[in-house]
Amino acid sequence: MKINRIEVFALRAPPQERPHWTSHFIVPTANEILVRLYTDEGIDGFGLATSYTPIDHAIKAFKTGIADQILGEDALAPERLYQKLFRLTTSKTANEKGWSREALVRISAAVDIACWDIVGKAAKMPLFRIFGGYRDEVPAYVTCGYYRDGKDNQELRDEVLMLKEQGHTGFKVKAGGLPLGEDIERMAVMRQAIGSEALFMVDPNRAWDLATAIEGARLLEPLNPRWLEEPIRWEDDRRGLKLLAQKTRIPLSGGESEVTSYGCRAMLEEHAIQILQFDCTMMGGFTEGRKLAGLCELNHVQVAPHHDCFIHAHIVAASPAGYIVEAFTDPERDPLQAELFEDAPKIVNGRLKLKEQPGLGLTLSESAIRKFGERVM
């Protein structure tokens, strides 16, 4: 089944007057590459590449010929096409064309997901069943508690109560952007608002040095977090996580900031994290995501992928290691989750029920593509 046509869109939302911050960077409300692959047998599929950095380099790669590496390839051989595209990261061709490594990693992920969507449609089966079919419903949590100019504790409380009313039973909140004492106060306000029975996770986005992380974990323990995510600064985070794990009872998580599956493997080898949070739309696609899920199962580590709950639900539902997916149900924070798909699965009482439609089981909204998309090719 040969790929004979490609469509690519850059999906963006206008900058916000009052943007959402993590501990140290503004989170774009929409910043994704949408790849649609068409085949000579009339079956098409799509994939997404998510980035917190500018996507201009990925756009440049499509405008300077990377589609020639994809056209004519077999859509039913996603492993082969993924390896071909990923190998460009160390190729003379990419260097001559000016294709950056990050762009190639993102593009290979989006193309891989699109191929698997086609595989599922050709097989007339949803991907979570092709991948293993361990269950057809997965837990979901919502990420919230971002920093914003002028945001006080009352606004924090109102935000999490709004999300609680939507039916969420798990909440991940941001930390690391204020002095530790002020941050712990913010955490306590949100924990009190959601109640003691709800899942409560804390994400400093790699803001703390080791000493601050040890103290922060000590102060957070009374709030009973389900996990502490990426607490250690980037330059020595794997070793820092291992040292922190020896000082706290809070389970540690990480993986979204890794750029390859090999980096995620190295995190597992440190025996520091209990939850791996790779992102198939940022690196590896389903081809590598399935391998990481298997590796987690064999190493007694749970899988809780970063972002894109409707895509990652297939990985989480397929494996015994699958734990939970991450959702963004405040349309101001993430308009794409709210608008990009027609009749997407619903999150009810903290659970997402997968559909039995083949492939990803998702239908793109053409109106959302017109609203947020810029055609690249």
Side-chain angles (χ1 to χ4, degrees):
M1 189 179 291
K2 302 300 183 185
I3 299 167
N4 61 7
R5 186 161 68 92
I6 304 174
E7 285 184 335
V8 181
F9 295 86
L11 303 178
R12 300 187 182 95
Q16 294 181 325
E17 292 184 6
R18 193 168 168 244
H20 294 75
W21 280 83
T22 71
S23 55
H24 57 97
F25 65 89
I26 292 175
V27 180
T29 52
N31 192 48
E32 304 196 14
I33 292 288
L34 168 65
V35 176
R36 303 174 86 169
L37 302 181
Y38 298 83
T39 68
D40 58 0
E41 295 189 25
I43 300 178
D44 62 270
F46 77 88
L48 291 167
T50 305
S51 182
Y52 287 158
T53 57
I55 56 176
D56 300 344
H57 291 295
I59 294 171
K60 175 186 175 182
F62 277 110
K63 289 186 173 181
T64 55
I66 198 170
D68 294 338
Q69 303 285 331
I70 303 166
L71 290 168
E73 291 293 330
D74 184 356
L76 301 184
E79 177 82 52
R80 186 165 67 216
L81 181 52
Y82 172 79
Q83 295 297 337
K84 177 183 180 181
L85 294 177
F86 188 80
R87 282 198 300 270
L88 290 171
T89 59
T90 52
S91 74
K92 181 180 178 184
T93 298
N95 185 267
E96 291 174 337
K97 295 281 190 178
W99 298 341
S100 75
R101 182 174 294 174
E102 181 178 331
L104 290 167
V105 168
R106 300 282 192 265
I107 290 168
S108 63
V111 170
D112 184 80
I113 292 168
C115 283
W116 278 108
D117 192 21
I118 291 170
V119 169
K121 291 173 180 175
K124 297 182 172 57
M125 293 177 64
L127 287 176
F128 76 92
R129 296 205 179 278
I130 291 175
F131 293 164
Y134 185 69
R135 54 185 168 176
D136 62 5
E137 185 179 74
V138 298
Y141 69 89
V142 64
T143 296
C144 55
Y146 289 87
Y147 301 95
R148 305 183 82 179
D149 289 345
K151 189 172 186 177
D152 59 15
N153 286 346
Q154 183 59 52
E155 185 177 351
L156 275 175
R157 185 180 292 107
D158 291 344
E159 177 189 4
V160 296
L161 288 175
M162 173 196 71
L163 296 169
K164 187 176 181 180
E165 288 175 3
Q166 291 179 358
H168 289 289
T169 59
F171 302 80
K172 185 172 78 181
V173 303
K174 295 298 177 178
L178 290 172
L180 188 55
E182 295 178 45
D183 256 344
I184 297 299
E185 181 183 345
R186 292 175 71 253
M187 302 300 104
V189 165
M190 289 183 279
R191 170 48 107 180
Q192 189 278 329
I194 65 173
S196 60
E197 298 302 313
L199 287 178
F200 181 68
M201 292 75 80
V202 178
D203 181 9
N205 287 103
R206 302 204 290 183
W208 291 336
D209 60 24
L210 179 59
T212 304
I214 292 171
E215 179 64 6
R218 184 185 70 80
L219 294 172
L220 282 169
E221 282 197 9
L223 301 180
N224 192 28
R226 176 62 185 86
W227 72 64
L228 179 58
E229 177 174 332
E230 288 195 329
I232 303 293
R233 289 177 182 168
W234 69 272
E235 66 268 18
D236 197 23
D237 58 340
R238 294 175 194 161
R239 183 59 58 86
L241 284 168
K242 183 175 183 177
L243 295 172
L244 176 60
Q246 298 167 3
K247 301 288 186 178
T248 182
R249 294 175 294 176
I250 302 173
L252 304 181
S253 68
E256 76 174 73
S257 298
E258 297 298 329
V259 295
T260 68
S261 53
Y262 303 102
C264 289
R265 180 192 65 187
M267 295 189 77
L268 297 183
E269 289 173 344
E270 290 285 359
H271 302 293
I273 62 170
Q274 289 76 54
I275 298 150
L276 183 63
Q277 297 171 294
F278 58 86
D279 188 332
C280 293
T281 71
M282 297 182 79
M283 64 91 175
F286 286 141
T287 289
E288 295 297 282
R290 294 174 67 211
K291 297 171 187 175
L292 288 171
L295 192 60
C296 284
E297 183 180 345
L298 295 175
N299 283 276
H300 311 288
V301 171
Q302 293 181 302
V303 172
H306 170 256
H307 204 239
D308 282 299
C309 60
F310 303 132
I311 288 176
H312 285 119
H314 290 278
I315 288 284
V316 173
S319 168
Y323 174 41
I324 199 168
V325 293
E326 179 178 23
F328 298 87
T329 54
D330 179 352
E332 186 180 7
R333 160 61 182 87
D334 191 338
L336 289 186
Q337 179 167 321
E339 300 184 47
L340 187 57
F341 306 117
E342 296 180 358
D343 194 27
K346 299 292 189 290
I347 298 172
V348 179
N349 296 324
R351 300 189 71 81
L352 186 153
K353 175 80 170 179
L354 285 91
K355 297 190 170 187
E356 293 292 341
Q357 281 90 338
L360 287 169
L362 299 168
T363 301
L364 290 165
S365 166
E366 299 302 329
S367 63
I369 293 174
R370 289 191 296 271
K371 180 178 179 180
F372 299 109
E374 169 198 346
R375 185 182 289 274
V376 175
M377 63 170 295

